[in-house]
Amino acid sequence: MIDLRLIREKPEEVEKNLRKRGKNNRIDEVIILDNEYRRLKTRSDELRNIRNVVSKEIGFMEEGEEKNVKIEEMKKVSLGVKELDLRVKEARERLYEKLSYLPNIPHETVPVSESPDDKLILREWGEKAVKRDRSHIEIAKELGMIDMERGAKISRGNFSLYRGKGAVMEWGLISYMIEVNTREKGYELVLPPYLVNAETMYTSGNLPKFEEQLFRCRDDELYLIPTSEVPLANMHRDEILREEDLPLYYCSYTANFRREAGTHGRDERGLIRTHQFNKVEMFKYTTPESSYGEFDKLVGDAEDLVRRLGLHYRVTLLVTGDMAMQSAKTVDIEVWLPGQGGYYEVSSCSNCEDYQARRGGIRYYPSGGGRPRLVHTLNGSGLATSRLMVAILETYLREDGSVEVPEVLRKYMGGEERIVRAGKGRR
C-alpha cells in the first residue's frame, strides 16, 4: 500500500498522482480517518501518561482519604484508556481498510491515460505472419490437441482440456521456460501451493478490492491463486532479509485461476481467455536503488523466451489506467496471433516498488547499517502458455494442415518436428 506518511506530508501531490490512474482515486476519506485515528491515539496516550504519573505519586502517599480518592480517579482513567484503546483500534482498522483500496503511485515514466489503447509501443521483433482464416480452435481440434467441449463438460465453459500432442507441447513449453530461467538466468525454482489464505491475497494486492474476481473455497478461508505472483510475493512476508542476499530471483510453475474469463467478447474464444491456464512466473526481491535496473533485465528475460520460440512480438508500456493496482510500472510483451489478426499479451512485467512489501512487512538490513528498509518486488510472466500455444499453432501452421514444432521445443517432444493429423504418420 501507499506510505501513510507520504499522504500526511504531501497530500496534494499524492492525490494528483493517484488521479492519473482514475478520477475516483481520492485520499480525502483517508485523511479524515487518519485525523480521527491520530486524535484518538493522542487522547489515549495523554490519559495513559496521566495514569502512569499519578500511579507513581500514589505509591509515595500515606494511607488515607486523599490516597483513596486518587485511586478511585485512576480507576476511572484506566476505564477511559481501555475504551479509547478500543476506539483507536477500530479507527486504525477503518483507516487501513480505506488505504488498502488505493492503487500504487505510478512511476513518472508511465504515460497518463485511462484508455488501454494509448499504450506506447517500445519495440518489435521478428516478422509478422500473414493473417489466417483458420483459428487455433480449428487447428487444435483437427490435430487432436485440445478439446474445449470435453473441458466444458468436465468443468464448465472456458476450461480447456489438453490431450495427445497438445498436452505434450504444453508440458514442453513449461519445461523449456523452467530450464532457461533456472539454468541460464539464475532463478530459483519454486513450486508453491495453489490455495492461499486471505493474508497472502492481501499482501499481493488482490484483497480486499478484487475478491469478486477470485475463486474461493466454500468451507475454508482459502483462495485459488490467480497468478503465482501471489505466493511468491509472500515467501518472505514478515521477514527481514540482508542486503547482501539481494536481489533474490525466483521462478515458479503453477496453474492459475481467474473468474473473469470469457467476459471480453466472442473474439476471445478457445485458449485466448480461460478460467484456468498454466504459467511460469518470474519474481524478484530487490533494493530500491536496483529495482528499475532489475526490471529492465526482467523484461529482457521474458523477451528472450519469446524470441527463441521464433514468434513475432512487440513490447508495450501500459498507461496509468491499465495497470494492476499494485504496479508502479508495467511493460507487456504481446505476440502476434495470425488467426486473430491481433496482438495478445503473453507476459506482463511489473515493478511494484514497496507497495506489496509494505503490506507484507518485507524488509532488509542495509549492509552499511541503519534501520531496516522495505524491499521492492518485481514480477513477470515467463511465460503464460495458453496464448503461446495459440501463437504457435497459428504461426507454424503448414499448407498440409500440420504444425511445425519450434526448434527449441523439439527436445521436450521426443525430437518431433511436426504435428500431423491422426493417421498421417509422423517425423
Side-chain angles (χ1 to χ4, degrees), residues 1-11 14 27 30-31 34 38 95-96 99 105 354 358 363 371-374:
M1 65 178 64
I2 300 174
D3 189 350
L4 183 56
R5 289 175 299 178
L6 186 61
I7 294 177
R8 291 169 178 169
E9 294 168 4
K10 301 178 180 179
V14 171
I27 62 171
V30 170
I31 293 173
D34 184 41
R38 289 197 285 174
L95 167 62
Y96 276 86
L99 192 62
I105 294 174
D354 60 12
R358 181 170 289 104
R363 299 174 292 167
R371 299 178 64 182
R373 303 174 65 196
L374 291 169

Side-chain angles (χ1 to χ4, degrees), residues 27 71 108 215:
I27 62 171
I71 291 174
E108 59 184 8
F215 284 102

Side-chain angles (χ1 to χ4, degrees), residues 198-205 233-234 237 355-357 359-360 362:
E199 188 176 358
T200 295
M201 283 293 189
Y202 174 82
T203 294
S204 64
N234 282 268
R237 190 177 71 219
Y355 188 92
Q356 292 175 324
R359 284 179 170 232
I362 311 168

Side-chain angles (χ1 to χ4, degrees), residues 346-360:
V346 293
S347 177
S348 190
C349 301
S350 296
N351 190 339
C352 298
E353 297 186 357
D354 60 12
Y355 188 92
Q356 292 175 324
R358 181 170 289 104
R359 284 179 170 232

Side-chain angles (χ1 to χ4, degrees), residues 134-148:
R134 300 179 67 204
S135 73
H136 70 284
I137 302 173
E138 301 169 272
I139 299 166
K141 188 172 184 178
E142 286 186 10
L143 297 177
M145 298 175 68
I146 299 165
D147 193 332
M148 298 301 295

Side-chain angles (χ1 to χ4, degrees), residues 250-276:
Y250 295 115
C251 76
S252 67
Y253 156 70
T254 65
N256 305 274
F257 305 87
R258 299 186 184 180
R259 281 189 178 279
E260 76 271 22
T263 62
H264 295 265
R266 294 183 60 189
D267 60 324
E268 297 192 341
R269 295 176 302 131
L271 298 180
I272 301 295
R273 190 177 295 274
T274 57
H275 287 303
Q276 177 184 328

Side-chain angles (χ1 to χ4, degrees), residues 8 10 42 45 49 65 95 111 120 123 141 160 165 184 207 223 226-227 257 306 317 342 390 408 412 421-422:
R8 291 169 178 169
K10 301 178 180 179
T42 298
D45 291 343
N49 184 58
E65 184 65 25
L95 167 62
L120 299 182
R123 54 188 173 272
K141 188 172 184 178
S160 55
K165 294 299 187 296
E184 299 182 27
L207 288 179
Y223 299 82
T227 166
F257 305 87
V306 184
L317 175 60
V390 176
V408 294
Y412 305 105
R421 287 193 289 268

